[in-house]
Amino acid sequence: MGIATDIVLLVLTAFFCGLIMQRLHQPLILGYIAAGIILGPYTGGMTITEIHDIELLSEIGVALLLFALGLEFSLKDLKPVKFVALIGTPLQMLLTICFGYAVGRVFGWEWKTALWFGSLISLSSTMVILKTLMNQGWLGTLSSKVMIGILIVQDLAVVPLMIILPQLNDPAAGFGSLGFAVIKATVFLVAMLFLGTRLLPYLLKTIARLCSRELFILAITAIGLGVGYTTYLAGLSFAFGAFIAGMVLSESDYGHQALSDIIPLRDLFGLLFFASVGMLLDPRFLINHFALIMLLVLIVSIGKGCVFAVLAWIFRYRNVIPLAVGLGLFQVGEFSFVLARIGVATESISDEFYNVFLTMAVITMVLTPLVSSQTSRLYGLKKRWFRHEPLESLNFPEDTFRNHVVIAGCGRIGFQIAGVLQRLAIPFVLVELDQLRIEKAKAAGYPIVFGDGGQEVVQEALMIQQASLLVVTIPGIVVARSIISHAKRVNSRIRVVARISDPDFFSVFSELEVVDLIYPEFEAGMEMIRQVLLYLRIPVPEIQLHAENLRHQLVQNVAAPGKEYRTLGQMRAAEQQFDLQWVELDSENPLVGVSIAEAEIRKTTGISVVGIIRDGRLETNPEPSFRFDRHDLVAIIGSAEARQRFHCYLYPLSETCLTPPNQGLS
């Protein structure tokens, strides 16, 4: 079967290798590379026969990778960290290229190889970092925003590097060729911006109107690969054209749908690319050059890590962020493989250098989760050695907090809780790492500490030992567990209310002796069930019975809600059973100017008046002498029949009140 058999073997092997990597909490691309090594020509056993054909197919994977990158690209993502991303990243890449060039010259490489080495190591891995941040529960933190902003600009820098680096083969003619390539790229870019932004969205709109998902996917693929092939015919990079096509489509109304449809195809062809990378890796080469490769891993990791950490510090990021960025972005990226393959294809770098670089890059990727996980520990040591560095705290009162509420996380939920506590004059303090949320809390006047709530030094700033309540709104279980365990170690009496994102985590909170848990998805589902059953005219008591059964099924084996939580649930059940309703009195209403006693509402209709809002003030359980006025909002409770009688009391001439109850049934 030839190439078909090779693809089947490759996909099956990549699946099992990817499964193993997933179990080891490693990025899947390492499994794909491992599959390429296993089926490559250097390991013996079962071997891919049509390696060259796989390499040709992998070029489609590169184009689709950059096409998807263009679809994902948005200037909005860079806004929170725009300075370090747009200014700091080019500076970082320049410093890293110089560092790599110096290392290459020390190792005796010729200038061109040393420059390629510096360029290759200047990029970090978006895939590895995103996977690592998700596993560690750090997505959404300010340090993760900084890293992702830098990675976006690095990925964009791949395109000019793909144009510039191959021109180094002939330095004499290189500047002319490079200038011509830049002119062609500029002309193509301008043409795409003026024509593509009008033609491509119109084409997608026309295809979408046909309501064919298959045709839409085919159109997206054709646009990405077709534009890439056009740039190839014009003498530019195939992948460059695909990237520009994705970037143009990202601004259209169909950008998100295009991205979601292209991702499976991108991942499949990306598998072929990373597997073809692995096929060129020789395990015996690693053994024979073990000392050189490990020395390069050490030098590159430390050098890049220091460059990133210093850069973050220069751009005025403090506390844990420089350390997190340095320990997170030290590895070599997947787009470096793309550049390296271009270097081999254009004979810019030798096969031996490619093997050295490839082996070193894979090792740095494997080390990333392990090294990045040491951030909290090393930051704790740093704080013990340098306790003079103050934490950033905003809007703190002059007197010391005592019996206050600590809110971990200033997202939508945390911000709402803070607003209610501020209106009730209850002392509280927020803790957050996201700079945008910190600015929002600062503008609202909320007291907030910039930092990781699970760190000892941060909890000292929060005065956790004197707090009465800890509210954890962060959904990530790793972060939540760290915050709660540290808080209980300092203050064993503190009460904890936590948000839970998955019922499987009930056992984790049970070990922490936390029983006051809020499951937002469950509560939203309960309210939707109530609305659906009300629409279907199911009696309110029966609705409440179904809701309580569902709640009992959720908590009977995994959690025991506290007494106060159960009481609140009973109160809400009573409110739903009585079906409290609000009625606004207009100027023609017969109740205006009449007291509750004079109207004899309960005797006449059977409903009870339990509250009145007048001029923004709530009067609960008003006295019988209370007189109604126009524009009053009156809260009533009673049966459906009683509410109907009250409606007819207010509006006796309405259609429902003039029609006899049994009319039309005989």
Side-chain angles (χ1 to χ4, degrees):
M1 291 176 65
I3 184 64
T5 303
D6 290 342
I7 292 176
V8 169
L9 287 176
L10 201 53
V11 170
L12 288 174
T13 307
F15 168 73
F16 287 108
C17 291
L19 195 61
I20 293 172
M21 291 299 169
Q22 183 74 15
R23 292 288 185 182
L24 296 175
H25 303 289
Q26 296 291 332
L28 291 180
I29 58 174
L30 297 182
Y32 303 157
I33 293 174
I37 296 172
I38 294 171
L39 298 176
Y42 302 108
T43 53
M46 191 173 293
T47 303
I48 295 294
T49 57
E50 305 294 339
I51 293 178
H52 180 65
D53 291 340
I54 296 293
E55 291 176 348
L56 293 177
L57 288 174
S58 71
E59 291 183 13
I60 298 178
V62 175
L64 291 176
L65 277 172
L66 286 168
F67 181 53
L69 174 65
L71 286 170
E72 291 177 294
F73 174 67
S74 173
L75 289 174
K76 296 178 182 177
D77 297 332
L78 297 177
K79 191 174 180 180
V81 290
K82 54 181 177 295
F83 293 112
V84 71
L86 297 176
I87 301 175
T89 305
L91 181 60
Q92 169 266 317
M93 293 188 67
L94 180 61
L95 291 174
T96 308
I97 290 173
C98 294
F99 170 74
Y101 178 82
V103 171
R105 297 300 284 172
V106 168
F107 277 90
W109 299 337
E110 61 175 329
W111 71 268
K112 184 174 66 174
T113 303
L115 192 57
W116 268 88
F117 180 71
S119 302
L120 293 173
I121 67 171
S122 67
L123 303 172
S124 300
S125 174
T126 304
M127 294 183 181
V128 172
I129 284 298
L130 287 178
K131 180 66 175 176
T132 301
L133 291 173
M134 284 189 289
N135 288 343
Q136 296 175 347
W138 290 351
L139 274 180
T141 63
L142 182 57
S143 56
S144 72
K145 297 276 187 183
V146 173
M147 285 189 269
I148 292 172
I150 291 173
L151 288 168
I152 290 174
V153 178
Q154 280 189 355
D155 291 345
L156 295 177
V158 172
V159 177
L161 287 177
M162 292 170 62
I163 297 174
I164 295 171
L165 288 176
Q167 304 299 328
L168 298 175
N169 285 344
D170 188 1
F175 287 107
S177 301
L178 178 59
F180 186 58
V182 170
I183 292 173
K184 287 192 294 184
T186 303
V187 171
F188 172 76
L189 185 58
V190 171
M192 283 294 296
L193 290 176
F194 279 94
L195 298 178
T197 51
R198 293 165 175 78
L199 178 61
L200 296 184
Y202 174 77
L203 177 62
L204 285 184
K205 183 178 181 180
T206 304
I207 297 297
R209 286 177 176 172
L210 300 177
C211 299
S212 172
R213 181 73 179 272
E214 293 83 359
L215 196 59
F216 187 82
I217 296 174
L218 187 60
I220 292 298
T221 308
I223 288 172
L225 298 182
V227 174
Y229 185 65
T230 302
T231 58
Y232 170 75
L233 293 178
L236 294 171
S237 167
F238 181 45
F240 171 71
F243 169 76
I244 298 301
M247 193 170 67
V248 169
L249 286 178
S250 69
E251 300 301 324
S252 72
D253 296 334
Y254 302 94
H256 293 292
Q257 184 62 44
L259 178 61
S260 64
D261 286 340
I262 204 66
I263 281 176
L265 196 63
R266 177 203 70 181
D267 292 343
L268 181 60
F269 279 94
L271 180 156
L272 297 178
F273 168 72
F274 289 111
S276 67
V277 168
M279 290 177 192
L280 297 178
L281 195 148
D282 185 356
R284 290 173 294 184
F285 184 87
L286 171 60
I287 297 172
N288 295 334
H289 300 79
F290 184 79
L292 172 63
I293 291 171
M294 296 310 296
L295 180 60
L296 285 174
V297 168
L298 184 64
I299 293 173
V300 170
S301 300
I302 294 176
K304 279 189 70 176
C306 290
V307 168
F308 279 111
V310 171
L311 193 72
W313 188 85
I314 289 174
F315 280 84
R316 304 184 69 179
Y317 291 98
R318 297 293 186 266
N319 298 311
V320 74
I321 297 174
L323 187 62
V325 173
L327 295 180
L329 298 179
F330 72 91
Q331 79 291 127
V332 178
E334 58 273 358
F335 281 115
S336 298
F337 297 151
V338 177
L339 282 178
R341 287 289 300 275
I342 292 175
V344 172
T346 58
E347 298 183 355
S348 299
I349 57 177
S350 65
D351 290 336
E352 182 177 358
F353 171 80
Y354 178 83
N355 278 319
V356 170
F357 166 76
L358 178 64
T359 310
M360 180 209 68
V362 171
I363 292 174
T364 61
M365 286 183 169
V366 173
L367 290 175
T368 298
L370 176 62
V371 174
S372 181
S373 65
Q374 304 304 310
T375 301
S376 298
R377 184 176 302 173
L378 293 175
Y379 183 64
L381 290 174
K382 174 179 176 289
K383 281 298 180 183
R384 291 193 188 98
W385 294 337
F386 303 99
R387 301 189 74 88
H388 61 275
E389 182 180 350
L391 287 171
E392 183 180 356
S393 56
L394 304 168
N395 300 325
F396 261 53
E398 295 181 1
D399 54 339
T400 305
F401 276 120
R402 187 175 296 276
N403 294 326
H404 57 288
V405 179
V406 175
I407 305 173
C410 190
R412 286 189 296 269
I413 296 175
F415 201 82
Q416 290 173 0
I417 296 171
V420 173
L421 294 180
Q422 188 180 57
R423 286 193 292 272
L424 295 173
I426 297 174
F428 70 92
V429 59
L430 289 151
V431 57
E432 180 58 69
L433 266 172
D434 190 308
Q435 189 66 36
L436 284 181
R437 295 175 179 176
I438 289 172
E439 293 296 330
K440 185 178 179 182
K442 178 183 177 182
Y446 299 159
I448 188 167
V449 172
F450 178 91
D452 180 358
Q455 296 297 325
E456 179 182 349
V457 178
V458 177
Q459 293 199 350
E460 287 179 7
L462 295 169
M463 290 171 261
I464 202 80
Q465 68 276 9
Q466 299 175 13
S468 61
L469 179 65
L470 171 64
V471 182
V472 182
T473 67
I474 299 170
I477 185 63
V478 176
V479 179
R481 180 168 53 184
S482 173
I483 293 171
I484 295 170
S485 60
H486 282 82
K488 282 183 168 289
R489 193 177 305 140
V490 175
N491 184 355
S492 60
R493 298 174 290 101
I494 195 170
R495 186 74 176 267
V496 179
V497 176
R499 172 184 177 181
I500 186 169
S501 58
D502 193 314
D504 293 338
F505 297 148
F506 272 119
S507 58
V508 177
F509 287 103
S510 179
E511 294 175 2
L512 296 170
E513 299 180 349
V514 177
V515 295
D516 296 310
L517 300 171
I518 308 300
Y519 185 17
E521 286 77 8
F522 176 77
E523 298 299 333
M526 293 278 283
E527 186 61 25
M528 291 187 72
I529 290 171
R530 177 177 177 272
Q531 295 294 336
V532 169
L533 296 181
L534 283 173
Y535 178 81
L536 297 174
R537 301 185 182 279
I538 305 298
V540 173
E542 187 175 344
I543 294 174
Q544 187 58 34
L545 178 62
H546 286 293
E548 290 303 315
N549 286 338
L550 286 174
R551 191 178 300 278
H552 179 70
Q553 291 174 11
L554 175 70
V555 303
Q556 63 180 347
N557 296 323
V558 290
K563 179 181 177 182
E564 293 82 357
Y565 185 79
R566 289 195 298 270
T567 302
L568 187 62
Q570 291 167 353
M571 292 171 63
R572 186 175 181 186
E575 176 189 320
Q576 293 173 354
Q577 188 167 353
F578 285 115
D579 203 5
L580 182 144
Q581 290 188 354
W582 291 91
V583 177
E584 183 176 6
L585 304 183
D586 54 35
S587 57
E588 304 297 329
N589 200 286
L591 287 179
V592 174
V594 180
S595 69
I596 296 176
E598 292 171 348
E600 296 183 333
I601 296 175
R602 182 170 179 80
K603 180 179 178 180
T604 306
T605 65
I607 64 98
S608 297
V609 176
V610 296
I612 296 174
I613 295 180
R614 178 181 294 172
D615 297 329
R617 290 180 296 180
L618 174 64
E619 180 77 23
T620 59
N621 296 320
E623 297 292 333
S625 60
F626 189 95
R627 291 188 177 275
F628 296 106
D629 198 358
R630 59 178 183 161
H631 304 308
D632 280 351
L633 285 173
V634 182
I636 63 171
I637 59 173
S639 64
E641 293 81 4
R643 293 195 304 273
Q644 175 63 21
R645 286 193 294 270
F646 182 71
H647 174 76
C648 291
Y649 177 84
L650 297 180
Y651 309 103
L653 298 180
S654 65
E655 183 179 349
T656 57
C657 297
L658 291 174
T659 305
N662 295 324
Q663 182 176 339
L665 297 178
S666 59

